[in-house]
DNA sequence: TTGTTATTGAAAATCAATTTCAATTAGAGA
DNA sequence: TCTCTAATTGAAATTGATTTTCAATAACAA
């Protein structure tokens, strides 16, 4: 719920703790919606008006590198980021407001094995994403 | 196997049949790999050297609009296109060479209903994509 | 064959993302 | 606390993909 663990992890990986980073981290960490770099910029500038857009890109890059955030692919575009789920998880996205939920417990073993057999592919991983309307947007 | 149905469908939708379009359509229609606009350009120019990159973008736009091609999302980027599957299908992609296979027969009913109940979302659709290595690339 | 209008490719414009750079600042060590 | 240095900053320039503009061309209906 707090941004401190992310800031700590940045520091533990040799990155310095700055105002710009703090603003970006607090913005992304606390969001229940996937945010584009520009959206992060607009929100984070409220916390730290001197922030430059470049620092948003640079911080997002580091957060992705540390697997603290992940890119969200949508029909409307693939530039948005959200706090990464822990372990093997999948996304459920609201088509209207972009609200994100994680879920796990899909069981694709049987399916992937059948497809591997039929196609001759060696299957390594999968993407599963659900789209719909959140309670607010129905 | 032939590009004629696509060309016919373009014509039926009021679009004229030109050399540029024919070259792009033949290139994309016949490919087993997802192709970026630039890859389409390079391949289609062999058929029609006067082709401009702009016409590639414009033709891909129309083919997507008619649901003859679909965008392919990958960790490495989301600009590539492939012939669209018919009906409800999913993709299996080779992580090495980009070869694409379609499959169907996933059964996510139980899963999506459980998640709908738990999250309160009304689930409308899903994306399922498998990644691996094709026979050639293993 | 003719006329209209969609389509073309080249060039210019746009837009997001990246790189460059000189000034600033975090934070390690004294 | 003070000093030093390398990381970080935001502005500006650059890049690269995509879109728009435009005058010339060509598809195709009549
Ligand atoms: Mn899974
Ligand atoms: Mn399905
Ligand atoms: Zn919503
Ligand atoms: Zn392959």
């Amino acid at each position: 719920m707090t941004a401190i663990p992310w800031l700590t992890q940045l520091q533990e990986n040799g990155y310095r703790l700055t105002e710009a980073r703090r603003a970006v981290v607090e913005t992304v960490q606390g969001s229940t919606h996937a945010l584009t770099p520009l959206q992060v910029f607009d929100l984070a500038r409220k916390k730290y008006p001197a922030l430059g857009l470049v620092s948003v890109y640079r911080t997002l890059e580091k957060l992705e590198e540390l697997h603290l955030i992940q890119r969200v692919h949508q029909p409307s575009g693939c530039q948005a980021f959200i706090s990464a789920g822990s372990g093997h998880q999948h996304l459920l996205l609201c088509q209207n407001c972009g609200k994100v939920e994680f879920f796990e417990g899909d069981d694709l073993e049987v399916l992937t094995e059948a497809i591997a057999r039929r196609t001759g592919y060696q299957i390594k991983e999968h993407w599963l994403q659900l789209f719909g309307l959140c309670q607010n947007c129905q």
Side-chain angles (χ1 to χ4, degrees), chain A:
Chain A
M1 269 317 168
T2 166
I4 293 175
W6 289 24
L7 295 169
T8 304
Q9 198 160 339
L10 279 169
Q11 230 169 3
E12 283 170 358
N13 282 78
Y15 297 121
R16 293 183 180 175
L17 198 35
T18 67
E19 285 288 309
R21 276 176 191 160
R22 186 186 298 273
V24 170
V25 164
E26 282 176 0
T27 299
V28 177
Q29 195 279 327
S31 176
T32 55
H33 295 66
L35 299 174
T36 63
L38 208 65
Q39 288 174 319
V40 173
F41 181 55
D42 288 337
L43 289 168
R45 243 191 321 187
K46 291 176 185 163
K47 299 171 192 281
Y48 178 58
L51 180 66
L53 179 55
V54 200
S55 288
V56 174
Y57 280 103
R58 288 189 281 224
T59 303
L60 290 175
E61 193 177 59
K62 286 169 180 62
L63 293 176
E64 193 179 20
E65 184 185 301
L66 297 176
H67 303 106
L68 293 170
I69 62 173
Q70 64 184 58
R71 187 178 294 270
V72 174
H73 297 257
Q74 288 182 268
S76 57
C78 307
Q79 305 77 32
F81 292 88
I82 188 81
S83 297
S86 54
H88 179 81
Q89 298 213 333
H90 299 293
L91 288 180
L92 166 56
L93 292 158
C94 179
Q95 292 170 321
N96 184 246
C97 72
K99 191 175 177 206
V100 172
E101 295 271 352
F102 283 96
F103 68 89
E104 47 193 326
D106 64 306
D107 187 7
L108 301 172
E109 278 283 316
V110 176
L111 177 71
T112 56
E113 270 178 31
I115 291 165
R117 212 172 306 119
R118 180 163 58 72
T119 60
Y121 275 60
Q122 182 180 347
I123 296 174
K124 300 275 200 176
E125 54 177 306
H126 62 262
W127 276 2
L128 174 60
Q129 221 168 91
L130 304 182
F131 298 93
L133 295 173
C134 76
Q135 275 171 323
N136 274 339
C137 294
Q138 282 169 28

